[in-house]
Amino acid sequence: MENYKKEENQIIMCGIIGIASRDKNVKGRLVDSLKRLEYRGYDSSGIALRIKDGIFIKKRQGRVAELEEELKGNTFNSEVGIGHTRWATHGEPSCKNSHPHTDCTGKIALVHNGIIENYKELKKELEDSGHIFTSSTDTEVIAHLIEENLKEYTFIEAFRKAVKTLEGSFAIVALFSEEGSLYVARKDSPLVIGIGDRENFVASDVPAFLPWTDRVIFLEDGEMCKMTPNSVETYNFEGKSLKKEVIKVPWNLAQAEKGGYKHFMLKEIYEQGKAVGDTIGARLERDDEKVALEGDFPIPPEEIERILILACGTSYHAGLVGKFYLEEISGIPVYVDYGSEFRYRKPIINEKTLVIAVSQSGETADTIGAVRLAREKGARIISICNVLGSTLTRISDVTFHTYAGPEISVASTKAFTTQLSLFFLLALDLGSRRGFLSDEKEREYVREILSLPVKIEDILKKDKKEGIIREIAVKISSARNALYLGRNVNYPIALEGALKLKEISYIHAEGYPAGEMKHGPIALIDEETPTVFIATESSVLKKVKSNMEEIKSRNGKIISLVSDGEKELSELSDYIIRVPGINEYLAPILNIIPLQLLAYHAADYLGHDVDQPRNLAKSVTVE
Ligand code: M6R
């Protein structure tokens, strides 16, 4: 059926679920959970159930819906089971390579996320001892290794010895048919335990089991557990028993469901008024005039010499806006770098360097790698993160949470606007503590930031009522290329607007500083290429207007994002989108919203899978 071969550098990210329950309908719940995890990977999926005579396994290439279809009419069910949805970037995904994988006896089934670096050596040794492999994955090695260890040890010991032998990264859930318990281990790959009522869960991410519990245990690297419906015993890889804290996550089921919206992305765009309101509201003093952050800076504010912001993708764009806020409001020099670039540099860092790591998921491997390097060099770490208990939060000195709620759509939206809001608050707090910002100015900024939620709602209400953005999206959906231009604090918004369009509509789009256009990209302009200008009220608006004229005189199509009441730019523009006026620094938080909607409507009109765009996964947990 396939000739897929795992390559040395194959990158795999996946969603894992395991359920041990008194309820017999584990099969349906595994499939339900896999659907919730599909944003992590959607090339193939599979489940394993403990049944009377052993283990029942069903796998399917393609979406979880196909697995569900395959399972229709199937009468097997169980109280214990595991499931997996997979995403691969190298090599063809296939049924044979899908998880769960088993040992020779078929008594052990397991799912895995990560990469086993020493799998070739282990596979050779196991084959020499007579083990027969049926897939070309690294994962299958783990099942045979446990089987081999079982010759001498109890299952828990066999499992522990196996995970200790593995090199690389892994989140593993193993099912042993003779016991009906689940065995779980974690190293450099996300895994969280859910504590239910006479049932327990394990998954790559909380939304997988949110319908059944919001009480969780975050496993650390080097930790494992044995799970039954009534118990969760945790150990470290040395076998020492551990006592772990159970935490209630502040997320609810409604947040993790579409709630009548066609796509998660649209729902999440529409949640931004509340998400930004929650993120800000939690950090203002009762009189609403001063910022009161919940954590202290790991370096006294007056001693910070420079700030280094590390992030990837949309979070990187938030960092670029954050640089403006921090430099202009708190007077500290700021550098911004991609996690994937920074981690391979020889960075100049000292103990007066404050690193701010930004990540929605807190599991992005490149950001985490960059933070670890910065820490080694002596930096202190603050993170801005949306996921409580994620890896990034555990390696940071202080974390400021964005209260966006679960973000399911691969295209990040509400995480971005809440990250910008938090950056603004950080800048105000640092500025005032360093004496760079007067109390009066801080109060003025606080009043402005408090107006954000209502203004966001106004944009969204208008979109629903007038549908102008959808009309423009339909018009640009036939374009092959698009340019997004902005200046100053809106330049990162041009980058983010372009990223949104390309990742879900597959239209090539480039974000550029408007003033740089004449140094090259202007050659792209023709009647077919739309240019989106971010031209809201600002100190550089006149300059942006000149750039528009340059495009107009070359017959380019112009879509302008302008402040309410603006008249002059209408003549230059083919299409106009209006947003409420606000302080220049806060404008990016409003300006990105119509651009998210533009990308959404274009992708939806083109019939693309908006929430799960091709080749992408929500959390990029490998480098
Ligand atoms: O979870 P993170 O914020 O660390 O993720 C970083 C990027 O992978 C992410 O923002 C990605 O670029 C999104 N698909 C953008 O919409």
Side-chain angles (χ1 to χ4, degrees):
M1 180 172 28
E2 72 223 13
N3 48 19
Y4 167 73
K5 217 168 164 6
K6 184 182 186 304
E7 293 168 25
E8 213 51 81
N9 60 346
Q10 186 182 3
I11 297 174
I12 303 176
M13 284 173 293
C14 315
I16 285 178
I17 175 74
I19 307 179
S21 174
R22 291 266 168 247
D23 172 6
K24 286 220 161 49
N25 181 29
V26 158
K27 182 174 67 186
R29 296 208 280 163
L30 287 174
V31 173
D32 187 36
S33 294
L34 287 179
K35 284 188 187 159
R36 291 170 195 285
L37 285 170
E38 215 173 7
Y39 67 90
R40 301 181 68 90
Y42 30 88
D43 287 336
S44 55
S45 58
I47 59 163
L49 301 171
R50 182 186 185 226
I51 52 170
K52 210 163 110 238
D53 307 322
I55 295 178
F56 163 83
I57 294 187
K58 186 62 82 188
K59 312 192 218 187
R60 219 19 237 266
Q61 189 174 334
R63 296 291 167 101
V64 176
E66 293 179 40
L67 175 72
E68 189 176 31
E69 194 57 35
E70 184 96 4
L71 286 165
K72 267 195 188 141
N74 179 295
T75 52
F76 284 129
N77 222 325
S78 177
E79 297 179 344
V80 184
I82 55 178
H84 190 270
T85 176
R86 178 169 184 265
W87 180 90
T89 60
H90 292 55
E92 197 189 322
S94 68
C95 197
K96 187 174 81 172
N97 289 327
S98 311
H99 301 214
H101 289 285
T102 53
D103 66 327
C104 300
T105 65
K107 287 181 182 170
I108 303 166
L110 63 81
V111 290
H112 161 227
N113 181 16
I115 296 175
I116 306 301
E117 285 161 6
N118 56 342
Y119 89 99
K120 280 190 180 153
E121 302 88 288
L122 293 172
K123 186 171 178 178
K124 173 140 194 344
E125 279 172 32
L126 289 159
E127 279 177 334
D128 290 347
S129 313
H131 290 263
I132 311 285
F133 282 75
T134 58
S135 78
S136 45
T137 65
D138 53 348
T139 302
E140 195 185 341
V141 162
I142 313 169
H144 293 277
L145 198 54
I146 302 171
E147 179 193 3
E148 186 64 23
N149 293 344
L150 263 180
K151 289 178 184 162
E152 269 187 71
Y153 302 102
T154 58
F155 194 86
I156 191 162
E157 265 307 284
F159 180 79
R160 188 181 72 78
K161 289 209 179 294
V163 294
K164 277 201 72 171
T165 313
L166 303 176
E167 286 167 20
S169 61
F170 49 84
I172 301 168
V173 185
L175 166 64
F176 182 41
S177 66
E178 298 201 345
E179 277 186 22
S181 314
L182 296 181
Y183 291 84
V184 175
R186 163 187 175 139
K187 183 174 164 267
D188 294 332
S189 191
L191 213 48
V192 56
I193 309 286
I195 308 293
D197 179 16
R198 299 204 315 149
E199 56 184 8
N200 292 307
F201 309 87
V202 54
S204 311
D205 208 349
V206 175
F209 52 67
L210 209 46
W212 310 298
T213 187
D214 57 2
R215 297 170 63 236
V216 306
I217 292 176
F218 293 109
L219 278 191
E220 302 286 338
D221 288 338
E223 292 182 354
M224 53 177 268
C225 79
K226 176 182 176 182
M227 177 187 291
T228 67
N230 295 319
S231 65
V232 175
E233 296 163 19
T234 35
Y235 304 91
N236 65 17
F237 286 0
E238 305 312 313
K240 183 174 176 283
S241 171
L242 305 170
K243 212 171 157 35
K244 302 284 295 180
E245 192 188 355
V246 179
I247 294 166
K248 194 169 168 354
V249 289
W251 288 357
N252 60 48
L253 182 58
Q255 289 174 311
E257 301 208 308
K258 279 194 208 150
Y261 284 88
K262 188 171 176 191
H263 296 102
F264 276 112
M265 181 178 179
L266 190 61
K267 175 179 177 250
E268 288 162 8
I269 291 173
Y270 270 77
E271 282 171 347
Q272 290 178 104
K274 178 170 186 328
V276 165
D278 288 350
T279 303
I280 299 166
R283 276 91 185 196
L284 293 180
E285 280 182 353
R286 208 166 299 157
D287 63 3
D288 277 349
E289 297 223 304
K290 266 197 97 53
V291 175
L293 294 176
E294 66 275 34
D296 228 337
F297 292 93
I299 307 175
E302 58 291 356
E303 287 176 24
I304 301 170
E305 278 178 1
R306 61 176 207 145
I307 292 178
L308 179 60
I309 298 175
L310 299 172
C312 299
T314 288
S315 297
Y316 171 80
H317 297 154
L320 292 177
V321 178
K323 173 181 164 75
F324 275 90
Y325 293 171
L326 289 160
E327 288 190 338
E328 302 198 11
I329 300 174
S330 64
I332 307 170
V334 181
Y335 304 82
V336 191
D337 210 344
Y338 288 110
S340 55
E341 286 295 314
F342 176 85
R343 62 187 300 193
Y344 300 110
R345 280 195 224 298
K346 293 191 174 61
I348 300 165
I349 278 178
N350 63 26
E351 65 287 356
K352 298 214 166 141
T353 306
L354 178 69
V355 163
I356 305 182
V358 193
S359 173
Q360 185 286 129
S361 61
E363 300 293 350
T364 300
D366 284 322
T367 305
I368 289 166
V371 166
R372 288 199 165 120
L373 175 65
R375 191 179 259 305
E376 261 168 47
K377 303 269 174 198
R380 306 302 302 271
I381 320 289
I382 283 185
S383 57
I384 294 181
C385 187
N386 196 40
V387 179
L388 194 77
S390 58
T391 305
L392 180 63
T393 65
R394 291 199 305 268
I395 60 172
S396 305
D397 294 299
V398 180
T399 298
F400 295 109
H401 284 106
T402 44
Y403 296 124
E407 191 182 69
I408 310 284
S409 164
V410 166
S412 187
T413 54
K414 58 180 180 171
F416 182 70
T417 43
T418 53
Q419 287 164 353
L420 296 195
S421 310
L422 248 176
F423 263 122
F424 196 75
L425 297 177
L426 274 177
L428 293 186
D429 196 41
L430 279 174
S432 110
R433 294 216 230 170
R434 287 165 66 93
F436 195 81
L437 178 71
S438 68
D439 282 355
E440 195 190 334
K441 196 73 192 157
E442 184 180 359
R443 276 197 291 275
E444 190 185 316
Y445 281 137
V446 167
R447 279 196 294 277
E448 284 279 323
I449 198 171
L450 279 169
S451 73
L452 270 175
V454 171
K455 289 181 177 167
I456 292 173
E457 292 300 340
D458 287 348
I459 295 174
L460 295 168
K461 269 188 223 144
K462 197 164 146 199
D463 173 59
K464 217 175 206 169
K465 198 164 136 217
E466 298 174 0
I468 292 171
I469 300 176
R470 175 106 189 164
E471 274 171 36
I472 302 172
V474 170
K475 295 267 189 320
I476 66 161
S477 62
S478 55
R480 294 192 56 209
N481 300 295
L483 269 181
Y484 283 67
L485 302 178
R487 278 178 179 252
N488 206 262
V489 73
N490 279 312
Y491 159 53
I493 298 307
L495 293 176
E496 176 59 10
L499 174 63
K500 286 289 91 85
L501 189 73
K502 67 188 141 196
E503 73 178 324
I504 57 169
S505 76
Y506 315 145
I507 298 169
H508 170 247
E510 262 195 78
Y512 235 78
E516 276 292 299
M517 185 192 55
K518 55 187 176 293
H519 297 288
I522 199 161
L524 294 172
I525 298 303
D526 60 18
E527 286 156 17
E528 312 294 314
T529 307
T531 301
V532 179
F533 271 98
I534 299 139
T536 47
E537 202 49 62
S538 80
S539 53
V540 288
L541 185 55
K542 278 212 174 92
K543 304 273 173 210
V544 177
K545 191 175 167 225
S546 314
N547 300 135
M548 274 188 189
E549 270 157 5
E550 288 159 9
I551 299 274
K552 194 74 202 163
S553 60
R554 284 160 182 86
N555 295 325
K557 288 257 169 313
I558 295 181
I559 300 159
S560 305
L561 185 67
V562 303
S563 303
D564 276 343
E566 149 64 39
K567 292 200 181 78
E568 275 183 45
L569 299 178
S570 312
E571 284 167 25
L572 285 171
S573 311
D574 296 277
Y575 307 104
I576 287 265
I577 303 170
R578 296 184 186 278
V579 290
I582 196 159
N583 173 284
E584 172 171 4
Y585 289 139
L586 292 168
I589 305 178
L590 299 183
N591 291 348
I592 191 57
I593 293 172
L595 303 188
Q596 295 166 344
L597 285 164
L598 193 65
Y600 170 79
H601 288 307
D604 182 45
Y605 176 74
L606 289 168
H608 296 322
D609 189 341
V610 173
D611 285 333
Q612 286 151 6
R614 70 182 179 209
N615 307 335
L616 288 171
K618 180 68 178 163
S619 311
V620 186
T621 53
V622 286
E623 65 182 88

